[in-house]
Amino acid sequence: QAQLVESGGGLVQAGGSLRLSCAASGSIFSGSTMGWYRQAPGKQRELVAAITSGGSTNYADSVKGRFTISRDNAKNTVNLQMNSLKPEDTAVYYCNRRFAPLSAWGQGTQVTVSS
């Protein structure tokens, strides 16, 4: 069964760092461009970073230079290193395929940045 499991969130002060991890079943991960998304209260879910199976990356303007996405194809994991965090980064973070995302999203991981 296809599955996405996110972890690594928490409470951090502005300027701090967190590293998120996502474990995906092979049927989702293999050969797919993967993305990290976030959804803040009252806002739509947005894509913040994506990485192709070959390692090419792109980022939303709001996180460029602060977040780094990476993947381990052998372990079917995708990570998001978040530095210089800001209060506006507060959201639930999810991973999923960038294209044709699964309808069944994972539970996400909460990131809260205090000012």
Side-chain angles (χ1 to χ4, degrees):
Q1 183 176 354
Q3 192 172 16
L4 297 156
V5 180
E6 301 91 350
S7 63
L11 173 64
V12 64
Q13 289 188 330
S17 299
L18 284 172
R19 182 176 177 84
L20 308 184
S21 293
C22 171
S25 57
S27 61
I28 303 170
F29 192 88
S30 181
S32 297
T33 296
M34 296 297 294
W36 276 99
Y37 300 77
R38 67 186 181 188
Q39 187 166 21
K43 296 188 177 181
Q44 288 190 331
R45 188 174 290 159
E46 63 173 345
L47 177 71
V48 296
I51 184 167
T52 69
S53 57
S56 296
T57 60
N58 61 72
Y59 300 90
D61 287 344
S62 59
V63 307
K64 204 169 291 184
R66 300 187 298 121
F67 290 10
T68 302
I69 189 171
S70 61
R71 65 190 289 162
D72 185 330
N73 290 334
K75 296 181 179 179
N76 291 350
T77 57
V78 58
N79 302 307
L80 187 69
Q81 178 66 42
M82 306 186 296
N83 298 329
S84 302
L85 283 161
K86 303 176 181 180
E88 51 263 43
D89 295 318
T90 295
V92 180
Y93 285 71
Y94 304 87
C95 68
N96 207 327
R97 286 195 298 232
R98 168 63 180 93
F99 304 105
L102 271 67
S103 57
W105 293 71
Q107 83 287 352
T109 187
Q110 175 72 49
V111 171
T112 303
V113 185
S114 63
S115 57

